[in-house]
Amino acid sequence: MTKPYRPNVGIALFNAAGLVLIGRRFRDDGPEIILPGLEWQMPQGGIDAEENPRQAVMRELWEETGVKSADYLGETDWLTYEFPLYAGPSSHRLAQFRGQRQKWFALRFTGSEQEIDPLTSRNGQPPEFDQWRWERLDRVADLVVPFRRDVYRAVAEQFAKFSAIGAD
């Protein structure tokens, strides 16, 4: 039997300059590994049972970054990626999945940067990021682990109209 994909949302949070928020993961999470020099990613997270993706994106954004001040800009169709081979315990919550099936959302950050706090635990979820920064969307695929790159490139292409491509 083939393992299913985990339903998931991804978040491209754009600031007024058209840059996206990325966080630096500081630990592995089962098959969601990080590699030296490739620890950065945009926020993402699972969709709970009975939760729709638009609810999940705002919950995940808040859990991972503390941000509540964001307006909806757009979304992608469903995109997938496979986890790398995982030799860890089969009891890990992600071990039952072959990868993630994601719907990405473009949001415009409308708050103050003081709102961004990735180190505080929210809803009983441990922090995933120990740092954050703003980055050009078209550069983020080069900062993530290889198994996520195709999805990040697709997101960059679909959300280019919201970004600061060409702005240095």
Side-chain angles (χ1 to χ4, degrees):
M1 182 180 104
T2 303
K3 294 179 181 180
Y5 286 104
R6 178 179 181 235
N8 192 275
V9 292
I11 304 156
L13 182 69
F14 291 91
N15 68 9
L19 302 174
V20 291
L21 184 138
I22 59 173
R24 190 181 79 161
R25 287 186 74 135
F26 60 92
R27 61 180 160 70
D28 291 340
D29 185 11
E32 287 279 24
I33 62 166
I34 55 173
L35 298 170
L38 301 172
E39 302 93 349
W40 295 91
Q41 69 176 61
M42 290 183 278
Q44 66 176 54
I47 300 171
D48 293 340
E50 308 303 319
E51 186 177 41
N52 73 49
R54 285 227 194 162
Q55 292 170 319
V57 75
M58 296 310 292
R59 178 186 50 77
E60 283 293 337
L61 178 64
W62 176 73
E63 284 179 1
E64 293 191 3
T65 69
V67 170
K68 289 187 174 184
S69 305
D71 292 336
Y72 174 87
L73 296 173
E75 63 192 73
T76 66
D77 288 332
W78 291 96
L79 304 167
T80 60
Y81 68 82
E82 309 278 326
F83 290 140
L85 291 177
Y86 177 62
S90 60
S91 60
H92 189 281
R93 66 186 173 79
L94 297 178
Q96 64 185 305
F97 300 106
R98 68 189 285 189
Q100 309 251 35
R101 180 175 182 257
Q102 297 183 305
K103 181 173 276 288
W104 280 82
F105 289 82
L107 304 175
R108 178 75 63 204
F109 181 52
T110 59
S112 154
E113 287 191 358
Q114 285 70 35
E115 189 174 338
I116 303 170
D117 171 20
L119 289 170
T120 297
S121 177
R122 295 174 192 85
N123 285 346
Q125 300 298 313
E128 291 188 26
F129 305 127
D130 65 356
Q131 294 178 31
W132 68 273
R133 72 178 204 243
W134 299 107
E135 182 58 77
R136 276 181 36 178
L137 180 59
D138 64 329
R139 293 182 177 162
V140 180
D142 294 330
L143 304 173
V144 303
V145 287
F147 60 91
R148 287 196 179 125
R149 285 194 181 139
D150 288 344
V151 165
Y152 271 61
R153 287 184 182 114
V155 169
E157 185 177 310
Q158 292 183 46
F159 291 165
K161 62 186 171 223
F162 307 123
S163 71
I165 291 178
D168 279 321

